[in-house]
Amino acid sequence: MMTSHSFDRIKIPAAWWAAFRQLDIEAYDVVRRAQLPLSILTEPVEVTTAQYFAIWQSVSELIGDPAAGVVKLLTESAPAQWPPSVLAPYHARDYRDALKRMARYKQLCSPERLHIIEEGEVCTIQLEWLYSEQPEPPLLVYITLATLLDLGRNGTGQPLTARFVELTQPMPAGNVKALEEYLGCEVQFGAQNNRLTLHLSDLDRHFISYNAELLDILIPALEKSLEEQQRSKSMTETVKWIVKRSLSAGRPDIQAIAKELGMSERTLQRRLTDEGTNFKQLLTEARREQAREFLADSSLNTKEVAFLLGYEDQNSFYRAFRLWEGDTPSNWRAEQLGMPPIQ
């Protein structure tokens, strides 16, 4: 669990609570049900991902029909209430540009990532929350994916439909058909990831809401805020966290990490050098720290630990661990943690 991570902060705009009132839900009831301090209703605060999820779970429990709530929120929300990071994409040049801007500036609001992949005749957008291993509240997923489709509809002025939508969790209650009618496609539940798949040809559609003058005002300010946000973070800590999350998929490389951070490999190298480290050193530190954590779990044997750390074979892990700790993983576990050696 990474919900206590120092970068795990989500801004709560005041307009948020007004949006919930459109669903006949009082902000007081939401906050109380989520077991959060009432001060977040009157003061500008940031919450963690866990608290953010608790808020949406509370809304989900208070709302009568999730599908109807999604449609109502999207059709009745006023652009004047949107923060600049959300407003800018609605005035992009075309749908593709809008999606890219949404993915980039969403970082200013929350530690959520939109992975956009164009392949063949489709564009797939996959959601990921960086600092939580817990599943997102279903209502939050519905809102997010529907908003991305609604972005294209509002911008182009056309009744665009999705190719299909994949959701990891079923709708807890309400009319699934209503959600499918709004999205214009079948909704598949029980998927491995939450994803929206669009028709690739729709991404070339120009936005009738394109406003170059407004973007000239908004974009420099957003880019400055994004740069300040990134500089306020310890790049060392950020990279190490991403590496730990990626280890089980194989040894991560600097190119992949730089891409995820939205910067060039050269820029990432320079930032790490400025902080007195380098990628190779961080990879080693991340593996060593994770090795200690995994070995503390008595349910994992050393072969499983080696796999989770991205090693191709158990012997490679053994050699590395002996360099770090001067002993085998099994002996270290027995001596340091008082556990019997597990092969």
Side-chain angles (χ1 to χ4, degrees):
M1 293 291 294
M2 300 298 295
T3 52
S4 61
H5 195 282
S6 60
F7 307 151
D8 181 17
R9 295 292 180 267
I10 300 172
K11 296 179 180 179
I12 302 295
W16 229 46
W17 309 115
F20 288 151
R21 281 194 291 273
Q22 292 177 345
L23 301 177
D24 298 321
I25 296 175
E26 289 299 324
Y28 174 84
D29 293 328
V30 173
V31 174
R32 184 175 60 179
R33 195 180 191 93
Q35 298 183 338
L36 297 176
L38 294 177
S39 58
I40 71 173
L41 297 176
T42 57
E43 301 174 7
V45 298
E46 295 179 332
V47 298
T48 65
T49 299
Q51 293 171 328
Y52 188 72
F53 283 5
I55 290 173
W56 277 101
Q57 185 59 40
S58 297
V59 174
S60 182
E61 293 169 0
L62 290 168
I63 196 172
D65 186 336
V70 170
V71 175
K72 188 171 184 179
L73 274 177
L74 292 175
T75 55
E76 296 185 9
S77 60
Q81 298 177 335
W82 300 340
S85 56
V86 177
L87 183 62
Y90 279 83
H91 296 285
R93 183 179 297 277
D94 53 40
Y95 196 9
R96 177 179 287 102
D97 182 32
L99 288 171
K100 289 181 177 179
R101 292 186 189 277
M102 182 68 82
R104 180 166 179 78
Y105 300 129
K106 201 173 186 65
Q107 301 175 63
L108 291 170
C109 305
S110 64
E112 181 186 14
R113 291 294 179 269
L114 305 179
H115 298 284
I116 303 175
I117 301 174
E118 297 184 25
E119 186 175 8
E121 298 180 352
V122 300
C123 171
T124 300
I125 307 171
Q126 182 172 311
L127 307 185
E128 179 189 21
W129 286 87
L130 297 185
Y131 305 130
S132 177
E133 297 175 4
Q134 299 299 313
E136 310 95 317
L139 181 60
L140 173 58
V141 177
Y142 307 154
I143 288 287
T144 303
L145 295 182
T147 296
L148 295 174
L149 177 60
D150 207 54
L151 170 63
R153 289 175 173 174
N154 278 319
T156 64
Q158 299 294 321
L160 304 183
T161 60
R163 186 78 171 260
F164 54 87
V165 170
E166 299 166 272
L167 302 172
T168 60
Q169 301 180 75
M171 183 174 289
N175 191 343
V176 176
K177 186 177 180 180
L179 182 62
E180 292 182 330
E181 288 179 352
Y182 185 79
L183 297 170
C185 68
E186 179 183 358
V187 176
Q188 303 174 10
F189 295 101
Q192 187 174 359
N193 298 289
N194 295 305
R195 298 193 299 185
L196 167 69
T197 298
L198 303 169
H199 301 275
L200 187 63
S201 57
D202 286 340
L203 269 61
D204 295 320
R205 294 179 182 269
H206 293 288
F207 270 23
I208 57 176
S209 56
Y210 173 54
N211 189 328
E213 293 182 353
L214 181 60
L215 291 179
D216 285 343
I217 297 172
L218 292 178
I219 297 304
L222 290 172
E223 288 293 333
K224 182 179 180 180
S225 296
L226 194 59
E227 181 180 358
E228 291 175 350
Q229 182 190 75
Q230 291 175 341
R231 289 192 177 280
S232 68
K233 299 177 179 179
S234 162
M235 187 56 62
T236 298
E237 186 179 356
T238 302
V239 170
K240 188 184 293 185
W241 187 87
I242 296 175
V243 166
K244 288 181 179 180
R245 183 170 55 85
S246 308
L247 283 174
S248 61
R251 177 172 175 165
D253 56 42
I254 190 171
Q255 292 89 351
I257 302 300
K259 183 178 181 181
E260 181 158 352
L261 289 168
M263 62 180 64
S264 68
E265 180 182 342
R266 176 177 293 183
T267 299
L268 177 55
Q269 288 175 329
R270 185 179 68 250
R271 292 282 300 276
L272 293 177
T273 300
D274 290 344
E275 295 183 13
T277 188
N278 57 63
F279 183 76
K280 184 178 180 180
Q281 180 178 338
L282 291 182
L283 176 60
T284 299
E285 291 176 3
R287 276 179 156 169
R288 183 177 183 178
E289 292 171 10
Q290 284 296 91
R292 287 170 167 262
E293 183 176 328
F294 290 145
L295 288 172
D297 184 347
S298 61
S299 67
L300 297 174
N301 59 42
T302 50
K303 184 176 181 180
E304 291 171 323
V305 172
F307 171 78
L308 291 172
L309 293 175
Y311 286 98
E312 295 181 358
D313 58 77
Q314 192 172 346
N315 289 333
S316 297
F317 169 52
Y318 269 56
R319 289 193 295 269
F321 195 86
R322 289 186 72 96
L323 287 174
W324 301 334
E325 309 296 344
D327 206 343
T328 66
S330 184
N331 288 340
W332 183 90
R333 166 183 266 169
E335 294 175 6
Q336 299 292 325
L337 306 173
M339 295 181 182
I342 297 179
Q343 301 301 327

